[in-house]
Structures are given as structure tokens and as C-alpha cells.
Amino acid sequence: MAFTALALFAALATVSNAALTRRVTCPDGNTATNAACCVLFPIVSNLQTNLFDNGTCGDGAHAALRMSFHDAIGFSNTNSSLGTGADGSIFIFQDIELGFHANIGIDDAVNQESPFILALNGSISTADFIQLAAAVSLTNCPGTVRPTFMFGRKDATFPAPDLTVPEPFDTVDSILARMGDAGFSPAEVVALLASHSIAGADNIDPNLAGLPFDSTPSTFDTQFFIETQLRGTTFPGTGGNQGEVEAPLKGELRLQSDSELARDSRTACLWQANVNNQAHMAQSFQSAFAKMQVLGQDTSQLIDCSEVIPISKPFTGQAMFPAGLTKSDVEQACASTPFPTLPTAPGPVTSVAAIPQS
């Protein structure tokens, strides 16, 4: 009797496991664990081909990632009038939100994504599209961990107000307070700023558009965390630009907020922990990014469609000091841990090329 009962239990467990792993075949031939995810596969394919230039980590990818943050951070744990988070408001209420100083330059991303959103004709929410585009964009930049994607966000019914997006000239106090109100710890703030490893200036100064924040703006690597801790030099704008730039390398731009976060006692060791630690940087970012992407949404009502996101491209490089620079050029800020020992890139000192603008 006991043997029969155990055999029956084992059989039921096998049936249950099979039911849990049963997949549906979508109209385009892809398979998914939930039929609701099927609608996303052709959208992802269209994004890769037509927005991200056949899967490149270029201006389109940078813009999609920036837009996802500017949309989602309109949220507060203490004041519901500050927005409903990752809700598509930056597109739905663009006539209002694009007028905010912090959103200067976001109109480029809105314009790039607009034809895709309008062509969907409401088949998925605007909020979902913005975060889907950002997740897909990341996979084109070597070094990321494959992002997760939750599906079923509700769109905004009112715009996020001004001053919810931190700006490059804000103080560390202001940035940590604003991000803390949205639910992010200092460690998560630093983790999210790994996005600056694949970013550049976008109308911060119209004369400096396209200047990258590190020397490898198409690779999600730790160079950003290395180069922000190097002693800066003031350079004239490059490539026909006329502004002045403070950075370790000619052709780069270092944001004041990044420089101060890299040196503030509350965040300096968190910052330095990413140096030459690709796995830590990528995994910390993936976790913080997943949290950002569902701000303000009822996650119990969302469907896990992470399987529609492509596999990320691997990182095969090596963290280095730029040519001509060494550990002596580091402005040490973490009091408890020495800066890692790194090789110096070979060759003569060169300038960094600007990111081509779409």
C-alpha cells in the first residue's frame, strides 16, 4: 500500500512538472511558457532590425536606455503626486515632460521610438514598449547580463511632475535623497550608473553632443568606473565642438555628478568595487535595473516574459588604465580598500571618438 501511494505521488509529480514546463508555440514559430508573451517576439525582432541597426550598441540603444530611466524615475514612496513610475508618461505626456530641464535631449529618443509605438496601435502598453526597448538595447552592448522583462504595465493617466529626474549638476545629497525616495539605496544608485559605461552627452551642452563618458561607449565594461576616478584635465571640445571638457582623456566628458559620487565617502567604495569586477558590475546593474523597470507597477499582475529578451553579447576585453596613465593618476577616494592594480593600455595617448548621432 505504501509503495503504491509513493508510486502514485511520483507519477503526479511528473505530470505536474510537465505541466509547469509545457510551452506554447507562437504564430511566428517561437515558443513561450505563457501565450501572452507571444506578441513580444515580433516587436523584439523589429527593434533589433530597425531601431538598433541590426543589433548594434549605438545611438539608438543608448537613447532607449536613457528614456527608460527618465520615464520610470517619476515615482515616490512618500508622495503619489510625483508620478506612477514606469508608466509611459514621458511619451504619453511628452508635451509636458519634454519641457523639463532634466529631459533635454530625450526628445531624440521619443522621436526614434514614436513610429514603433504608434504602429503597435495599443497592442501593448506604451509603458511596456519603453522598458522592452531598453531591455533589448542592453543585450547589444557586450558585457551585460541578460535583463529580465515583466509584461503588463499600466499606462500613466497623468504626467510626472518636474524635478523627479536627477541632473548632472545636482549634489550627491540631492541625488541620493531623490533616488532614496524612489526606493533605491546608495549601492543601487551606483549600480544603475553602470549604464553610463554605454552612454554619452546628449544636449547637456549642445556643443558637446556625443562625447562619451568613458573610452569604450559601445561596451558595458568597468572602464567607466576606472576613468571617473582618474585625475582630470581640461580639454577644448573635440570634433568641431567648442565647449571645455574636464576628463581624463581628450574626447571624453565626465559628469560632475559622476565625479562627485566616485569621491563621496558614502559611495566611493561602492564605486571602486566595480573596477575590474565585470561580474559584480553586470549583476548589480541587472538587479537594480529590474527594480527600476517595474517602479509603481503591481508586480503581482505582471507576467514574466524574460525569455523574449535576446541573450546578451559576452565581454571579452580587459580592464586597463588608458594609454599613458597609471595608478598614480587615480584620485583615491575609498578609505578602506586600495585601488586595484591594472595594466596600462599599450600605444600612444589617443583621443576618444564621439558617439555617432542618429
Side-chain angles (χ1 to χ4, degrees), residues 205-229:
D205 180 329
N207 293 315
L208 305 174
L211 297 193
F213 299 149
D214 76 358
S215 58
T216 55
S218 292
T219 305
F220 189 86
D221 60 11
T222 69
Q223 286 302 130
F224 168 70
F225 289 99
I226 296 167
E227 292 168 26
T228 21
Q229 290 188 255

Side-chain angles (χ1 to χ4, degrees), residues 72 77 86 148 182-185 188 192 285-296:
N77 281 309
T148 58
F184 293 97
S185 67
E188 290 171 323
L192 284 174
F285 175 80
Q286 182 203 42
S287 177
F289 183 70
K291 180 176 178 177
M292 183 207 82
Q293 286 205 300
V294 294
L295 280 179

Side-chain angles (χ1 to χ4, degrees), residues 47-66:
L47 284 169
Q48 289 288 65
T49 301
N50 296 306
L51 182 60
F52 301 138
D53 299 322
N54 295 311
T56 61
C57 185
D59 185 56
H62 303 330
L65 184 57
R66 186 174 180 225

Side-chain angles (χ1 to χ4, degrees), residues 170-173 175-176 186 189-190 193 196 228-229 255-272 333:
D170 287 348
T171 65
V172 173
D173 285 346
I175 292 169
L176 294 182
V189 172
V190 172
L193 285 169
H196 283 186
T228 21
Q229 290 188 255
L255 299 182
Q256 178 179 306
S257 53
D258 289 340
S259 179
E260 292 182 359
L261 282 159
R263 292 159 176 77
D264 189 276
S265 60
R266 291 162 290 185
T267 48
C269 291
L270 297 169
W271 198 275
Q272 184 178 291

Side-chain angles (χ1 to χ4, degrees), residues 23-92:
R23 300 181 67 80
V24 298
T25 300
C26 303
D28 64 356
N30 283 295
T31 63
T33 54
N34 192 310
C37 302
C38 287
V39 69
L40 301 176
F41 285 109
I43 299 173
V44 169
S45 178
N46 189 28
L47 284 169
Q48 289 288 65
T49 301
N50 296 306
L51 182 60
F52 301 138
D53 299 322
N54 295 311
T56 61
C57 185
D59 185 56
H62 303 330
L65 184 57
R66 186 174 180 225
M67 185 167 168
S68 72
F69 173 74
H70 284 244
D71 185 53
I73 203 61
F75 176 76
S76 168
N77 281 309
T78 60
N79 185 346
S80 60
S81 70
L82 294 188
T84 49
D87 57 8
S89 69
I90 200 160
F91 183 88
I92 298 166

Side-chain angles (χ1 to χ4, degrees), residues 226-237:
I226 296 167
E227 292 168 26
T228 21
Q229 290 188 255
L230 296 174
R231 190 172 295 107
T233 300
T234 300
F235 296 102

